[in-house]
Amino acid sequence: MDHISHFRREVRAFETAARRTLDAAEAPVVPSCPEWTMSDLVVHLGGVHRFVTRVVVAGLAEPPPVTDISIYVLPEDRTGWPDPGGATPTPGPLPAGLVDWFAAGASELAEAFERTPPARPVWTWSAEQSVGFWLRMQTVEAAVHRWDAEHTLGTAIPIDAELAADAITQHFEVMVPARRDRRQAPPGSGEHLRFRRTDGPGDWAVRFVGDEVRVGPADEPSDVELAGTASDLALFLWGRIPADRLTVTGDPDTVDRYLALVPAV
């Protein structure tokens, strides 16, 4: 998959959606992230991009210190920007300079990905310690937050099917273990779920046994099956849409159990 092309497309679409709210007296609250306004969403994704750029460009083997604000290349005039550590949602209009800062940072990260081999070892928060991890992770994150931004305007375009299918696999390979570890999720008791894509090939079977998350072929009966387009499956797994947007067959209580086993971060 050409993750870089997907990344560039998603961040451009994110920027476009954000700029559509610049004339509003108040930055709109993001329905899928109700603790944030559009200003908070922009500063979040822009900050992540700047952080990852530093890791990739410098080839860091450890995360940069959180006190090093030079990472974020902040302009002097940050009037109306969200206050780091402050209460959210951030009131007031979306500052145009904040969107400009986001666009510049997204472009710098795309260029860093283009000129750096994916296999280059760098620090990540996952077991996979490579630039390729960050490229895949940031492409998926850009797509989800682009959807958030467009959904705020009522015009969200589905995630590209190829990218969404990869996001589903990435979710089970990377995000599920991370979420369970960070939130000290309860042990599994054999829950078996199947996620079936309806707009192309793709089945993901997941079983929770104790602290293990076993992902394998969907060749055994499951407690419940959730079926939908690749985009809808990915958006459900990322907590953006409810299960009732999918076709659920089997024990619905297992879906609720899944949400407890894989808590939101």
Side-chain angles (χ1 to χ4, degrees):
M1 179 185 298
D2 184 358
H3 283 97
I4 292 176
S5 293
H6 282 295
F7 177 81
R8 284 191 177 277
R9 184 188 66 250
E10 295 293 349
V11 295
R12 284 195 300 266
F14 179 93
E15 178 191 352
T16 297
R19 289 194 186 280
R20 286 177 57 192
T21 70
L22 285 175
D23 293 334
E26 291 283 331
V29 171
V30 180
S32 48
C33 304
E35 72 279 13
W36 287 346
T37 63
M38 187 70 82
S39 295
D40 299 307
L41 182 62
V42 172
V43 82
H44 163 74
L45 189 55
V48 170
H49 288 169
R50 300 281 182 167
F51 180 91
V52 175
T53 297
R54 173 65 66 87
V55 172
V56 170
V57 171
L60 299 182
E62 299 290 340
V66 294
T67 54
D68 183 8
I69 63 171
S70 69
I71 293 169
Y72 303 104
V73 196
L74 299 170
E76 289 188 11
D77 183 5
R78 299 193 293 278
T79 304
W81 285 40
D83 179 19
T88 59
T90 299
L94 172 64
L98 176 54
V99 185
D100 294 339
W101 170 82
F102 166 82
S107 179
E108 289 175 14
L109 180 55
E111 292 169 5
F113 282 143
E114 285 181 333
R115 63 175 181 261
T116 309
R120 183 185 187 186
V122 295
W123 173 85
T124 77
W125 49 259
S126 179
E128 181 186 350
Q129 300 280 294
S130 72
V131 170
F133 168 88
W134 285 120
L135 173 56
R136 188 188 194 194
M137 181 74 247
Q138 291 313 303
T139 302
V140 172
E141 185 167 1
V144 172
H145 286 321
R146 183 273 302 164
W147 187 92
D148 288 330
E150 292 182 348
H151 181 58
T152 302
L153 303 172
T155 58
I157 296 172
I159 299 173
D160 175 88
E162 178 190 40
L163 177 56
D166 185 58
I168 297 166
T169 300
Q170 190 265 2
H171 175 80
F172 293 125
E173 291 177 345
V174 177
M175 301 305 297
V176 167
R179 288 184 183 183
R180 286 181 53 75
D181 182 61
R182 292 176 189 175
R183 297 296 298 273
Q184 297 182 326
S189 54
E191 295 85 356
H192 188 195
L193 299 93
R194 180 188 185 195
F195 297 84
R196 180 172 61 84
R197 179 182 171 188
T198 58
D199 60 340
D203 284 282
W204 296 263
V206 185
R207 189 187 296 274
F208 295 86
V209 181
D211 291 332
E212 283 189 76
V213 180
R214 302 174 184 174
V215 182
D219 55 4
E220 297 179 4
S222 59
D223 299 324
V224 66
E225 178 187 274
L226 295 90
T229 64
S231 178
D232 279 353
L233 288 173
L235 290 168
F236 167 75
L237 294 171
W238 277 76
R240 267 38 186 197
I241 64 173
D244 62 17
R245 285 275 300 273
L246 306 170
T247 300
V248 179
T249 306
D251 178 17
D253 290 343
T254 304
V255 179
D256 295 333
R257 179 65 177 162
Y258 170 84
L259 296 174
L261 290 167
V262 188
V265 175

